[in-house]
Amino acid sequence: MGAHPHASVPQTGSASFGGLPAEPGIGEEIFALAAEIYPICRSITGDGVRETLAHLARHIGLTVHEVPTGTRVFDWTIPREWVIRDAYIKNAAGERVLDFRVSNLHVLNYSAPVCARLPLAELKQHIFTLPDQPDLVPYRTSYYAERWGFCMAHNRLADLPDGLYEIVIDAGFRDGSLTYGEYLHRGETDEEFLLSAHICHPSLANDNCSGLALLAHLAKRLAGLRTRYSYRFLFAPGTIGAIAWLARNEHLVPRIRHGLVVSCVGDAGGPTYKKSRRGDAAIDRIMTHVLRHASPAPNILDFFPYGYDERQYCSPGFDLPVGLFQRSQFATFPEYHTSADNLDFIRPEHLAASYRMLATALDIVESDALLRNTMPRCEPQLGRRGLYAAIGGDSAGPQASMALLWVLNLADGRHSLLDIAERANLPFLIVREAAQRLQEKGLLVPVDACAAGEARPL
Amino acid sequence: MGAHPHASVPQTGSASFGGLPAEPGIGEEIFALAAEIYPICRSITGDGVRETLAHLARHIGLTVHEVPTGTRVFDWTIPREWVIRDAYIKNAAGERVLDFRVSNLHVLNYSAPVCARLPLAELKQHIFTLPDQPDLVPYRTSYYAERWGFCMAHNRLADLPDGLYEIVIDAGFRDGSLTYGEYLHRGETDEEFLLSAHICHPSLANDNCSGLALLAHLAKRLAGLRTRYSYRFLFAPGTIGAIAWLARNEHLVPRIRHGLVVSCVGDAGGPTYKKSRRGDAAIDRIMTHVLRHASPAPNILDFFPYGYDERQYCSPGFDLPVGLFQRSQFATFPEYHTSADNLDFIRPEHLAASYRMLATALDIVESDALLRNTMPRCEPQLGRRGLYAAIGGDSAGPQASMALLWVLNLADGRHSLLDIAERANLPFLIVREAAQRLQEKGLLVPVDACAAGEARPL
Amino acid sequence: MGAHPHASVPQTGSASFGGLPAEPGIGEEIFALAAEIYPICRSITGDGVRETLAHLARHIGLTVHEVPTGTRVFDWTIPREWVIRDAYIKNAAGERVLDFRVSNLHVLNYSAPVCARLPLAELKQHIFTLPDQPDLVPYRTSYYAERWGFCMAHNRLADLPDGLYEIVIDAGFRDGSLTYGEYLHRGETDEEFLLSAHICHPSLANDNCSGLALLAHLAKRLAGLRTRYSYRFLFAPGTIGAIAWLARNEHLVPRIRHGLVVSCVGDAGGPTYKKSRRGDAAIDRIMTHVLRHASPAPNILDFFPYGYDERQYCSPGFDLPVGLFQRSQFATFPEYHTSADNLDFIRPEHLAASYRMLATALDIVESDALLRNTMPRCEPQLGRRGLYAAIGGDSAGPQASMALLWVLNLADGRHSLLDIAERANLPFLIVREAAQRLQEKGLLVPVDACAAGEARPL
């Protein structure tokens, strides 16, 4: 029972968290928000992050934090803010052959300023291309080594004639702060579920916009619900943002019972779940279960210390139960970190499916429980209680029927609903529904109610 | 060492249980008994069960129990007895187009009585057929909802012309009792091995007759043997019979160390073993071992809460170490619950093979033991003791030779013979024979004898 | 952490054991020694063993032990020495049609003497051939049953015309002793790594010469190095030699922490590792790791009680952590125990590869350690410390980079370097190198140094 089901049954009553059913249009809403924030030029610091958070704040009551430049956060120091106004390369005719205003990917992210006239050969040393994907613009950064550079399609570079080019990167660095957004949905306990998305990539749709938009909408829908857990949403720049949050919130870390880093959730691939460092945390079991029942061939990966901010959450000094949820696995799809990771690459239906998987995970976290069969010796007579009849008319008949038998058989106070779902190889929600039916008939009680002699609804 | 070998070596002496070798003709004897009881119209209550038990009682000293109608057994109530005298459908010419006297499958088992004249269209609503197996008659029951009905071949129904039909089910219900048979072979201890077969199906050869006949003959052969365990044989109607036995014998339940439900053991398929709910009970290891060495591709299944009376024995309040032994797995062969499950479907050679598998399981249960190599430092010199020579002349040479080495290597007082057989991937009987040879040469002693300084034969 | 890494970090300082890099020519040197000892007619006793040990003693300071005939060693008795001077079969023309001087395989090893004139039919009962490999001479022995015999190619025997043959085996038995050689490389502790090769086969190149020569050269190279463990090399006749050593050295047995029997290490097959009886000893994990990174498809076998002297070391009264290392698995290659196991069958490159695998195993044994990340909360900033730059220039770049991240992530004082290498699926040496870099930067300390506040180099 690695899933740590509730020691006591949730005190949620009939107004409790009843799941987050996928509403019609949820995929479109998420997509619309992703499209809204897509054009913004984000980096690890600066106004791009603030502007993005302002968009998210239209949906949820976001708290925006500013961590001053120079602040020590563990082994790191908050860098200066990057300011970018314009960037271009002009040919001899004065035409912009590369223009930041067309795509913010064209400038090396966090590039130093430059203003010069250079021969092509020399300029090329500062231009990143993808020779194997010659029509795409790469996304490149240089956060911790000061240099300047451009990114462009290999074919466009190849087309440039020799000669002198005027180059301008009208950018700068200033003391300021690192910005991140935080939203806390308070549940009945202060045990927390952390949901974290990075907010430092410029116009990349799947790789940052999709996760930001999905989490914002998940938070929005949670807002109206009573939950057992508190849900903390974090929208922070990759690496340095997560490190800053951890450094400033060490007192909150012990509260984190479950966590997910969410990114690249809008494409058609996957789904992918990369386990936490622990490998057997409840969230690892839960996400494995959810993905196995959502997809015929999910990609379930053991932890490895490379990726998104699970690197920080799973560093050995924290070792938090935080996994990574994606559709296509990062760095394995050809659009990754290129101009092809645009709004055509993500689809409302994939965003909706990702939303449903997360919502199911929350369902499990909220409602997993230990139960006890009140008639444990031999099977109770189900027919007499209308439980066979009820099943007969169900479209989910055979599964529902088997779920009833499984719950009765394993509800011995030592198996949680998730344990039962796993052993029965049935979706958690089917098993929970069976448990609810049995509880209504008095055949099942939560373990603590068992002791107290009173049954509460699931 | 999940198999719980004897803490002390069996006190069986030289007159001990030496196995149940398949006697020539055992398959034919079992088949003959199955054929004898095949025509009887059994149901969950009534004279069909009593008549069947009378046949079994010619072989073993059976105790017949009657549990009165209306008795509460856990969540269930013993139903009335079903009496069936005749049933038919007559056409306009007064000819029986369906006749219970031809096959007792033609009437819905436990059907309410009826006597009417109905047009075909209305009659059809009470006739069960198998459109996908149009020449077979299905076996159907309605124990806990009162209704009447017939079963017939789909093609025969299709041949019936429209018109009025005279229909009669000359049946009834009466207060009486539920009947089951029990036979206890007393061993040296009152630890029990439960062997259970259902006795509630009418003319279905594999699905009830085969199991009843096999267990009766197993019990008959055990009768002459000294055993360590006591063996309880139960011939009871499915579900309600097992529930009744459990309800009336809760004081015996703690004695049950091993158990098997036995059904469908006469066809050419399988063998199949479905594990107990525990999954790691000794019987689970033993049957897995037996089937793996009896068949190239045995069907070893984890427990699931659907099937025969293992459902009751493995309900969470009992959680007994009881598995299910079959040839073809129930509900997976086309003859299942149809008129094709007749005496042509079962064969003496398959019954004999099933008998041998059970007999080997009993062998293991009786003779598994912890042993200790008396010369544990380096290998003893086998050649000097004639153990290599003896092997050379054996047809089972290489296996017997490896068995000697395995037993010497693993007989450290912590590995039982079954542990050794599993690790060596050798049949238990070969390993036991090797252990006997080594014990004769003084190279091996049972662990308790080790302490006491005296060796007893295996 | 089955590998029992050092409780305290090795006190080896900068002059420590730094591995045994494969020197150019090591394969040729081993081959040359194997070729030197190949012609000698060894048996389980006698001058052949002594002569072989004299060759090995040119490389290492060998101690030669003589155990007198008649000495009891556990269940066995040291046999008489076998003396063989000549053996032949002469035809009617007085020509040697079989000649011991051509190949010592031609005489049954440990054969009794004979001098007779026999008709072919009678002689044939004393001649061993391989009908399925008709051009090869088999290797056969009769140590513990006194008889005489010859071995020859089946085709050559078939060519012999009927008639009388003069046969001579000019051999004898005398009271003397069993001889074995021992070399101890003393390390900083008296915990021992046992390396054992058999020395009782006559002209078989892979099956005894290769192992003897490889271990002699390994011992020679160790001689100049400081090690934590002491390394005991044993060159002893199969079975009786190992038994004699164990019987005379029971007081040393508790010192043995790791051990390998080494044989058949010069052919192109495998590599093969057969685990110790324990199955989870450190040497089992280590050799599994080494072979998996040295070969795409290594042959990793569970223990079985048949083979070389691991049978004795792993007898239940000792149960030592001793496995068997080979290229092709014994008894599975067609050259095994035939005249085809000659100097053409073994190659310097295979001997060198086998040497490297053993050397890597010693590396792991010597340098596995528990470490602790000094900045466990979030990742340290590697770029600032030149650890990313350093990697950029590496040919082993991606592996080295991942190794840095893995070591930082898992160095929590509970994972040894081998644990990390296994989980990261990286070669141990890459992981150790990453750990050394991190230690140089102060990001890693050995666990005991951690407590003591001081770091020592790996």
Side-chain angles (χ1 to χ4, degrees), chain C residues 103-328:
Chain C
S103 166
N104 53 40
L105 295 181
H106 279 316
V107 70
L108 178 70
N109 200 285
Y110 215 78
S111 172
V114 68
C115 179
R117 188 175 292 268
L118 292 177
L120 182 60
E122 196 173 327
L123 173 56
K124 276 185 175 176
Q125 295 168 25
H126 291 267
I127 297 182
F128 299 91
T129 68
L130 295 167
D132 294 339
Q133 296 172 294
D135 292 320
L136 302 184
V137 180
Y139 161 58
R140 289 286 158 81
T141 69
S142 185
Y143 296 139
Y144 299 103
E146 189 163 325
R147 54 178 171 169
W148 64 266
F150 294 96
C151 300
M152 70 191 289
H154 195 72
N155 283 342
R156 289 198 55 197
L157 178 59
D159 289 343
L160 293 186
D162 277 342
L164 277 182
Y165 287 85
E166 180 194 343
I167 57 166
V168 166
I169 296 178
D170 181 10
F173 300 100
R174 65 175 182 216
D175 283 349
S177 55
L178 172 142
T179 312
Y180 66 82
E182 198 171 8
Y183 170 72
L184 181 66
H185 168 84
R186 288 194 189 281
E188 291 166 358
T189 70
D190 60 10
E191 295 185 306
E192 292 192 4
F193 192 136
L194 175 68
L195 291 143
S196 174
H198 64 293
I199 193 171
C200 52
H201 287 24
S203 292
L204 295 170
N206 202 33
D207 190 358
N208 103 139
C209 296
S210 72
L212 296 166
L214 188 152
L215 287 192
H217 274 285
L218 183 63
K220 184 179 185 176
R221 267 140 196 90
L222 264 183
L225 297 173
R226 289 178 61 187
T227 58
R228 179 180 186 283
Y229 283 96
S230 294
Y231 291 82
R232 185 174 300 272
F233 292 81
L234 188 58
F235 307 95
T239 306
I240 186 71
I243 292 171
W245 186 86
L246 284 163
R248 292 156 55 99
N249 294 283
E250 284 198 75
H251 60 292
L252 295 180
V253 165
R255 296 184 183 176
I256 298 174
R257 292 288 179 277
H258 313 285
L260 287 171
V261 171
V262 175
S263 72
C264 301
V265 287
D267 69 293
T272 297
Y273 177 67
K274 173 183 157 184
K275 292 181 183 176
S276 76
R277 179 182 186 271
R278 299 181 186 180
D280 63 353
I283 192 67
D284 299 326
R285 280 187 63 200
I286 291 167
M287 289 302 288
T288 299
H289 177 82
V290 169
L291 267 64
R292 285 201 179 134
H293 287 279
S295 162
N299 187 22
I300 307 289
L301 304 170
D302 283 333
F303 178 78
F304 51 93
Y306 190 72
Y308 290 91
D309 286 331
E310 69 279 5
R311 293 166 65 159
Q312 311 311 324
Y313 301 127
C314 295
S315 58
F318 291 116
D319 196 21
L320 291 174
V322 176
L324 169 65
F325 174 56
Q326 307 198 288
R327 303 299 302 246
S328 288

Side-chain angles (χ1 to χ4, degrees), chain C residues 370-389:
Chain C
L370 292 173
L371 299 156
R372 196 184 299 275
N373 178 339
T374 59
M375 294 202 162
R377 290 174 307 169
C378 298
E379 293 175 345
Q381 200 177 355
L382 296 180
R384 170 155 62 85
R385 293 176 176 84
L387 288 171
Y388 271 142

Side-chain angles (χ1 to χ4, degrees), chain B residues 156-414:
Chain B
R156 290 198 54 195
L157 178 60
D159 290 342
L160 294 185
D162 277 342
L164 277 183
Y165 288 84
E166 179 194 343
I167 56 165
V168 167
I169 296 178
D170 180 9
F173 301 101
R174 66 173 183 219
D175 282 350
S177 56
L178 173 141
T179 313
Y180 66 81
E182 199 173 8
Y183 170 72
L184 181 66
H185 168 85
R186 287 195 191 281
E188 292 166 357
T189 70
D190 60 8
E191 295 185 306
E192 294 191 4
F193 191 134
L194 175 69
L195 290 143
S196 176
H198 64 292
I199 192 171
C200 53
H201 288 24
S203 292
L204 294 169
N206 202 33
D207 191 357
N208 101 136
C209 297
S210 72
L212 295 167
L214 189 152
L215 286 193
H217 275 284
L218 183 63
K220 184 178 185 177
R221 267 140 197 89
L222 263 183
L225 297 173
R226 289 178 61 187
T227 59
R228 180 181 185 282
Y229 282 96
S230 295
Y231 290 81
R232 185 175 300 274
F233 292 80
L234 188 58
F235 306 95
T239 304
I240 186 71
I243 292 171
W245 187 86
L246 284 163
R248 293 156 54 97
N249 295 283
E250 284 197 76
H251 61 291
L252 295 181
V253 165
R255 296 185 183 174
I256 298 174
R257 292 286 180 277
H258 314 285
L260 287 172
V261 172
V262 173
S263 72
C264 302
V265 287
D267 68 293
T272 297
Y273 178 69
K274 173 183 157 185
K275 292 181 183 176
S276 76
R277 179 182 186 270
R278 299 182 186 178
D280 63 351
I283 192 66
D284 300 326
R285 281 187 62 200
I286 289 166
M287 289 302 289
T288 300
H289 178 82
V290 169
L291 267 63
R292 285 201 179 136
H293 287 278
S295 162
N299 186 22
I300 308 290
L301 304 170
D302 283 333
F303 178 78
F304 52 93
Y306 190 71
Y308 290 92
D309 285 331
E310 69 279 6
R311 291 166 67 160
Q312 312 310 326
Y313 302 127
C314 296
S315 58
F318 292 115
D319 196 21
L320 292 174
V322 176
L324 169 66
F325 173 56
Q326 307 198 286
R327 303 300 301 246
S328 287
Q329 187 187 344
F330 71 93
T332 66
F333 51 94
E335 296 83 359
Y336 179 73
H337 279 194
T338 76
S339 52
D341 182 0
N342 57 36
L343 292 172
D344 292 335
F345 183 53
I346 63 172
R347 303 297 317 144
E349 60 266 32
H350 307 317
L351 291 162
S354 297
Y355 175 88
R356 280 195 296 274
M357 287 185 249
L358 282 189
T360 305
L362 267 57
D363 251 15
I364 297 175
V365 156
E366 287 289 325
S367 60
D368 195 18
L370 292 174
L371 299 156
R372 197 185 299 276
N373 178 340
T374 59
M375 293 203 162
R377 291 174 307 171
C378 298
E379 294 174 346
Q381 199 177 353
L382 296 180
R384 171 154 62 83
R385 294 176 175 84
L387 288 170
Y388 270 143
I391 295 162
D394 258 337
S395 64
Q399 273 200 335
S401 176
M402 281 308 291
L404 286 175
L405 295 177
W406 272 113
V407 172
L408 285 170
N409 189 267
L410 292 180
D412 54 9
R414 291 176 292 112

